[in-house]
Amino acid sequence: MAYYSQPAAANYHTPPAHSARHRGYRVCDQCGAVESPSVSKFRLCGGCMTTQYCSPTCQKANWPSHKAICQHTVEQVSAIQYGDDKIAKNLRKFTSAHAALFGWAGFQALQLKRIPANIRQSALLIELTPTSETESHRRFSIAATHVVPRTYICDPLVITDIQRREQRCRQNGGIGTAVIIIQCGSVSQVMPVEVDPPSKITWDTRDDWARVLHHFIESGRTDFQPISTTPRGIYYG
C-alpha cells in the first residue's frame, strides 16, 4: 500500500460533524462557474434534479441542449417500479451532495493525470446500499467500486449527453468527460464530469482513493477538499 505524508483532505482526521447540514460544491452546467455557498447557492433543474445552474439566465440558455436528457430522466424515474422510485429520488440528491468527492474519485480511479486517454474508454462504477439514515447525504453506504468499460452505459440518450459534454469540454481545451456511475440495485445515476487538461489540475495522484471515498461517505461528510501539492506549497480544495 502506498504511503502518503499528507492526508487526502484538509479535514480527513477531524471528527465527523454529524449534526451539521453540509452541501457539496456545484458547477454550473452552462458557464462552468463554481458555486460559493457563502455568496450564492446554485439551483438544481426542477425536472431531472441533477443538473445545476448558477442563475436563471444560464438555465434558460442551456435548456435547448438539456431538454432531451432532462425529459428522458423524468420519464425513467416515473417508469421505475414502486419502491425503487424512492431510491431513484434519494440517489439523485445523494449524488448531488457528494459531487465533489465523486468527481475526485473518478479522476483518481481512471488515473487521468498519468493516462489521460483512459477518459475515453473507462468509467468508475460506485455500488451503494441503502442505509436507515434520513438525511439525503447519508442515505447510502458504499458497497463496492469498480473501473468498468464506458460501454457499461447502454442508454442512447445518456451517451448522447456525455458526447455533447465531451465536445464542449474539448472545445474549451479539456481532455473530455469522466463518467462516474452511481448505482443502487437496478437504479443508477450517471454523473459526467468535464475534465481540464492534466497540466492545469494540481490534485495529487492518490492510489488510496477508494479508502478516502469510503471514509467521507461513511462519516456523512460533503465538505471534501482534495490536496494539491504545488511549487508554492500545499493547498486543499
Side-chain angles (χ1 to χ4, degrees):
M1 181 178 293
Y3 171 78
Y4 297 95
S5 59
Q6 297 290 336
N11 57 347
Y12 190 93
H13 294 300
T14 57
H18 294 296
S19 61
R21 296 187 66 83
H22 298 297
R23 171 180 179 152
Y25 282 63
R26 295 171 174 171
V27 177
C28 179
D29 193 55
Q30 174 62 20
C31 70
V34 179
E35 180 185 42
S36 298
S38 60
V39 179
S40 62
K41 291 186 177 181
F42 285 14
R43 60 176 63 197
L44 286 174
C45 170
C48 66
M49 292 294 292
T50 54
T51 303
Q52 50 268 332
Y53 301 100
C54 65
S55 67
T57 300
C58 274
Q59 185 171 7
K60 184 177 180 180
N62 190 244
W63 178 244
S65 57
H66 177 61
K67 180 179 180 180
I69 189 66
C70 180
Q71 294 179 340
H72 179 60
T73 301
V74 173
E75 290 171 359
Q76 279 190 316
V77 173
S78 299
I80 291 175
Q81 295 180 357
Y82 179 76
D84 282 349
D85 58 343
K86 186 175 181 180
I87 289 180
K89 293 174 183 177
N90 288 340
L91 195 61
R92 288 185 293 173
K93 293 180 180 179
F94 183 83
T95 300
S96 177
H98 294 287
L101 176 61
F102 289 152
W104 175 86
F107 182 86
Q108 301 293 354
L110 301 183
Q111 303 182 59
L112 297 185
K113 201 163 188 175
R114 299 169 181 158
I115 314 172
N118 282 348
I119 201 169
R120 296 192 294 270
Q121 56 192 13
S122 301
L124 173 61
L125 170 63
I126 301 175
E127 294 186 59
L128 305 175
T129 54
T131 69
S132 58
E133 300 288 345
T134 56
E135 294 178 291
S136 59
H137 64 282
R138 303 194 67 191
R139 282 181 170 152
F140 298 93
S141 180
I142 302 253
T145 57
H146 314 275
V147 174
V148 299
R150 282 264 292 254
T151 51
Y152 187 92
I153 301 172
C154 302
D155 191 311
L157 275 178
V158 174
I159 293 172
T160 298
D161 184 59
I162 292 172
Q163 292 172 339
R164 173 184 68 82
R165 293 170 185 271
E166 286 187 323
Q167 182 178 13
R168 179 178 65 184
C169 181
R170 287 172 183 154
Q171 287 175 344
N172 293 330
I175 64 172
T177 302
V179 175
I180 297 96
I181 306 163
I182 318 299
Q183 184 170 300
C184 181
S186 61
V187 182
S188 62
Q189 172 72 53
V190 176
M191 177 181 158
V193 180
E194 295 173 38
V195 180
D196 290 332
S199 60
K200 292 186 178 181
I201 298 178
T202 57
W203 290 347
D204 286 6
T205 297
R206 306 282 300 207
D207 293 324
D208 61 344
W209 60 267
R211 179 170 62 82
V212 175
L213 181 64
H214 277 263
H215 175 81
F216 276 85
I217 293 298
E218 303 310 319
S219 298
R221 273 213 176 91
T222 60
D223 54 351
F224 172 76
Q225 294 180 309
I227 187 174
S228 297
T229 302
T230 73
R232 296 184 178 183
I234 295 173
Y235 296 90
Y236 291 94

